[in-house]
Amino acid sequence: MPAMFIALAKHLQPAPLLADDPRWARIVARDKSADGAFWYSVATTGVYCRPSCPSRRANPANVQLHDTLQAARATGFRPCRRCNPEGPSLEAANAAMIADACRRIGQSEVEPSLIELADAAGRSPGYFHRVFKAVTGLTPKDYAAARRAARVRQGLEDGVSVTSAIYDAGFNSSGRFYEKSTGMLGMTPTRYRAGGANEEIRFAVGETSLGTILVASSRKGVASILLGQDPDALVRDLQDRFPKARLVGGDSDYEALVARVVGLVEAPALGLDLPLDVRGTAFQQRVWQALRDIRAGRTVSYAEIAGRIGAPNATRAVAAACAANALAVAIPCHRVIRKDGALSGYAWGAERKRALLDREAGDAAENASRSSRA
């Protein structure tokens, strides 16, 4: 160790005093909100850092706290290369880099390649791809596709022709667009341009042990499963979700489909073997697919879902996607809880969420008992 570092280490705060300082806990937690409030230096490495520095935690016996950046500089140490205490944090720098890339994608008539985006950012393609996905929750390609879809929707809503909307959005051919149009718009481009007018949505209301249920379907599959207490309120909710569609009451055949959905509510571990019409943004659909991958009887946190879709910083966006889910139980957002184990919110009420989880846990325990006896 350089003699200068050893000499400085003698003047550091004793470890017990530092451990009692609330700022040390913020360093241990890598608290980003503490950045700019204070800095710390480490004698054994000869660097000074911001509180959120991702480097390996230092021994508190070797750490000195500083109220100002000038005081940290006065140690004679160099700024940490990982957290860059002299300038914006790595997270802020990456956010700015990705924001610039998103603007490039949005302003380009032709989708820029990953190499072009990475070169403009001054990063390698692999690093840029990882950071882009961590910040936005999408790959650059998926983000560009979502932007093109938004352009098509905006063009159709503005009244331009379908062909013009397709090419203005950056699609090189109408064939490539029509391959994806139903998944992108939820219906044909012509029908979307008319605001979804005359789209037929069949629905019926039933009863479950958890209250009233409304099931609605398009030609593609089940589009909504809503839970509540008031049938009229559920129908109004359906009308709000499909304001220009033609709502048609289900016949006896449709009642049989509703019965299958009721069976799902009563025994959610069985799953639902019916086609779904899942409508949402690219990010929402990735979250919802991750929810469908959770096994019955298991729970995960919002942070875990964010990690599974490759967007660890998108916990709040994951929670928003769960709240936007219109297919209760079929897309099991009830299996997502807070990191501390609390139930958190649920669009159809915390009591229903607890009941569904209890049923799944009971079914899982019974199945395990049967397996052990076998």
Side-chain angles (χ1 to χ4, degrees), residues 41 52 55 68 147 189 215-216 224 250 328:
S41 58
S52 66
S55 299
T68 66
R147 288 289 303 172
V215 182
S224 286

Side-chain angles (χ1 to χ4, degrees), residues 62-79:
N62 301 320
V63 173
Q64 174 76 48
L65 301 179
H66 308 283
D67 292 328
T68 66
L69 184 57
Q70 290 73 20
R73 290 173 182 153
T75 61
F77 296 167
R78 64 172 176 81

Side-chain angles (χ1 to χ4, degrees), residues 158-178:
D158 290 344
V160 305
S161 70
V162 173
T163 301
S164 295
I166 292 171
Y167 286 100
D168 289 346
F171 285 93
N172 296 326
S173 71
S174 58
R176 290 185 61 190
F177 169 74
Y178 279 105

Side-chain angles (χ1 to χ4, degrees), residues 97-121:
M97 175 180 72
I98 300 308
D100 181 68
C102 289
R103 282 192 294 270
R104 288 177 180 274
I105 294 171
Q107 294 169 1
S108 299
E109 293 185 4
V110 178
E111 178 184 338
S113 68
L114 174 61
I115 293 176
E116 290 171 335
L117 291 170
D119 284 347

Side-chain angles (χ1 to χ4, degrees), residues 282-365:
F283 181 83
Q284 288 173 333
Q285 298 225 24
R286 291 179 62 218
V287 171
W288 296 338
Q289 183 56 56
L291 299 183
R292 296 176 72 184
D293 292 338
I294 305 170
R295 293 176 56 186
R298 303 283 182 86
T299 58
V300 301
S301 69
Y302 295 101
E304 287 178 88
I305 292 294
R308 290 185 185 186
I309 65 172
N313 297 322
T315 302
R316 290 185 178 179
V318 166
C322 290
N325 172 30
L327 288 157
V329 192
I331 295 179
C333 54
H334 62 277
R335 294 175 189 160
V336 187
I337 60 176
R338 281 173 36 179
K339 198 171 185 178
D340 61 4
L343 288 187
S344 184
Y346 187 54
W348 295 282
E351 291 183 2
R352 290 189 179 90
K353 183 171 187 174
R354 170 52 64 194
L356 290 168
L357 291 176
D358 287 346
R359 289 176 185 182
E360 292 184 358
D363 289 344

Side-chain angles (χ1 to χ4, degrees), residues 230-244:
D230 182 355
D232 290 337
L234 292 180
V235 174
R236 289 194 297 272
D237 188 356
L238 181 66
Q239 289 173 329
D240 290 340
R241 293 173 186 270
F242 301 95
K244 295 187 178 182

